[in-house]
Amino acid sequence: MRARARKLGYAIRKSRSRSIHEDNLGQYALVKESNNEVVLGERFDASLEDIAEYLN
């Protein structure tokens, strides 16, 4: 999945927070590499399935 995202100009970021709170829900974010814009999962709330669906 990371390779597919990279090929399309995105990066998948995993939350590194040890505690879950309203601004960090502990999952993933999809970031456009050209300008570091979060396109999905702004609060690290995107699942891998959400990201796969967005990339297709």
Side-chain angles (χ1 to χ4, degrees), residues 5-20:
R6 193 174 313 115
K7 208 181 261 192
L8 295 172
Y10 297 97
I12 298 173
R13 303 282 187 241
K14 171 77 172 108
S15 168
R16 296 191 180 266
S17 178
R18 295 199 180 255
S19 63
I20 295 180

Side-chain angles (χ1 to χ4, degrees), residues 22-43:
E22 68 182 40
D23 290 330
N24 190 330
L25 298 178
Q27 291 190 12
Y28 297 90
L30 185 64
V31 179
K32 187 159 189 117
E33 287 190 322
S34 63
N35 59 0
N36 283 330
E37 177 187 358
V38 177
V39 294
L40 188 65
E42 187 172 306
R43 297 182 316 152

